[in-house]
Amino acid sequence: MAAFSAWFWNERFWLPHNVTWADLVDPAPGLEYPKAGHLLSALPLAFGIFAVRILFERFIARPCAYMLRIQAEVSRRAQSNAVLEKVFTSITKCPDSRHLDGLSKQLDWEVRKVQRWFRHRRNQDKPSTLTKFCESMWRFTFYLCIFTYGIQFLWQSTWMWDTRHCWYNYPYQVLSPGLYYFYVIELAFYWALMFSQFTDIKRKDFLIMFIHHLATVGLISFSYVNNMLRVGTLVMCVHDASDFLLEAAKLANYAKYQRVCDSLFVLFGVVFFATRLVIFPFWILNTTLFESWEIIGPYPSWWLFNSLLLVLQTLHIIWSYLIARIAFKAIVRGKVSKDDRSDIESSSEEETDTIRNKRSSPPSPKRENGTNGHFASGAWVQDHW
């Protein structure tokens, strides 16, 4: 363990030239530099956030949903059938025409009846609009609060107005209470998201989002240990700027306020493009790549940090393309399309598609859903670094 610790915390990787861990001992009584041990406090705080979320959804979000006349739908349960249940759990949840024909002959059922059974069975596992509303209201509240806190904190900081202050006297930059709280709360929230993924709405992108949250936790922890907190707060605030707008659009969608939903989505798209394609590359990457090179010079962890930020910018471009495509479809169709990860299916849509597939016709485009569909966010809903 001692050998591994010495290898992992190699000063030549983590710190600039001619700087050692001994140099980063607390400078004076009451003052300290960031230390890896500080991050441990995020774990109990994550459980606390998870507990607060449960109480929030039950005593605040749920009553709000009832006020908006959002109720938990009672989905029709599929009748008990051992053969179909085995196919559903071990082979496929969406059988094609070949499977449907085979099961129809085996059970002596009409194809449409087999198809209806699978639809009802899938809907049993899908969450109600009420559940999705409560989840989105919690995320909206947290994102709005943390963004407000971040703006208030950064408004008083020097590096908000001159990013070169992120690197002056680096790494001898004292940890302030505001920096500590900002980082630990963000880190705890993403730990809580990782925990809650196993109890939240199950979606097709479960693994992708789990890896995303894990990467976010790693990046926040990396920048904290490396004392890149100043530029780290800028990165987090830039990403927080659009998240609460997306969750607000979801809330409007669940409450069936389609025009409000579409307007909020447009606003979200504008903010997303401005922060991810303009502010992030021309403000954040400019200071991490060029200003830091000029002031402190490159070193191994500097290269890794900037490589990860460049990967993040690549993801920004991909996500922006997806948002633009959704916006284009919304203009053409007149409303924002649904997210097919967690929607309750409609009977006519599925049965029509199957009949068309059997006739070898091209599949019809997905129907829009402006009532209880999960807003079309895709895997880019939470994309913090």
Side-chain angles (χ1 to χ4, degrees), residues 348-360:
S348 60
E349 176 183 4
E350 183 186 89
E351 293 175 3
T352 301
D353 285 348
T354 301
I355 292 173
R356 288 176 178 173
N357 287 337
K358 292 181 69 176
R359 293 176 180 173
S360 301

Side-chain angles (χ1 to χ4, degrees), residues 37 79 152 193 205 240 242 253 276 278 280 285 299 330 357 376:
Q79 69 183 82
Q152 289 179 338
L193 282 182
D205 60 354
D240 289 336
S242 59
N253 191 37
R276 312 302 174 89
V278 180
F280 187 83
L285 291 181
Y299 54 99
N357 287 337

Side-chain angles (χ1 to χ4, degrees), residues 27-203:
L31 301 176
E32 59 180 339
Y33 298 124
K35 295 182 176 63
H38 295 166
L39 299 176
L40 296 177
S41 59
L43 292 176
L45 182 58
F47 286 104
I49 290 176
F50 186 66
V52 169
R53 172 190 172 170
I54 295 174
L55 296 175
F56 178 90
E57 291 186 358
R58 180 173 182 179
F59 296 108
I60 298 178
R62 189 173 289 264
C64 290
Y66 291 151
M67 290 175 60
L68 294 169
R69 299 181 180 180
I70 298 175
Q71 303 291 333
E73 303 95 346
V74 179
S75 60
R76 183 174 178 180
R77 300 186 65 84
Q79 69 183 82
S80 178
N81 188 295
V83 174
L84 296 181
E85 185 67 26
K86 184 176 181 180
V87 173
F88 182 86
T89 55
S90 60
I91 300 177
T92 177
K93 295 182 180 181
C94 300
D96 56 21
S97 59
R98 182 176 60 85
H99 282 102
L100 289 172
D101 289 336
L103 291 170
S104 173
K105 295 176 182 178
Q106 181 179 354
L107 298 172
D108 195 22
W109 285 11
E110 292 183 359
V111 170
R112 182 162 296 189
K113 185 177 180 181
V114 177
Q115 185 182 49
R116 188 177 297 113
W117 186 95
F118 276 93
R119 184 179 66 254
H120 292 161
R121 182 62 182 85
R122 286 194 295 271
N123 286 341
Q124 285 179 203
D125 298 336
K126 292 181 178 179
S128 66
T129 303
L130 176 63
T131 301
K132 294 186 285 187
F133 180 91
C134 292
E135 178 183 315
S136 286
M137 188 169 180
W138 160 249
R139 295 192 181 196
F140 166 77
T141 303
F142 178 85
Y143 290 141
L144 180 60
C145 290
I146 198 66
F147 176 68
T148 302
Y149 174 82
I151 285 293
Q152 289 179 338
F153 170 74
L154 289 173
W155 201 266
Q156 306 170 37
S157 66
T158 56
W159 59 91
M160 170 77 170
W161 310 107
D162 182 1
T163 53
R164 297 175 67 88
H165 283 275
C166 292
W167 314 108
Y168 289 150
N169 201 36
Y170 178 86
Y172 306 105
Q173 297 171 346
V174 175
L175 177 66
S176 68
L179 271 172
Y180 173 79
Y181 294 138
F182 195 7
Y183 253 77
V184 170
I185 292 173
E186 286 267 17
L187 181 60
F189 178 70
Y190 280 98
W191 275 120
L193 282 182
M194 289 180 62
F195 303 151
S196 63
Q197 263 202 294
F198 297 94
T199 59
D200 276 350
I201 299 167
K202 295 297 186 296
R203 298 190 176 100

Side-chain angles (χ1 to χ4, degrees), residues 268-326:
F268 159 75
V270 171
V271 174
F272 190 94
F273 294 147
T275 53
R276 312 302 174 89
L277 300 184
V278 180
I279 294 177
F280 187 83
F282 294 102
W283 190 43
I284 303 293
L285 291 181
N286 177 68
T287 189
T288 60
L289 287 170
F290 303 111
E291 293 179 348
S292 65
W293 181 294
E294 178 184 343
I295 297 172
I296 63 173
Y299 54 99
S301 65
W302 180 94
W303 287 104
L304 177 60
F305 182 69
N306 279 287
S307 297
L308 294 173
L309 292 181
L310 289 172
V311 171
L312 184 58
Q313 180 57 30
T314 303
L315 293 176
H316 290 168
I317 296 172
I318 296 173
W319 289 325
S320 297
Y321 165 75
L322 294 175
I323 296 172
R325 188 172 65 177
I326 292 171

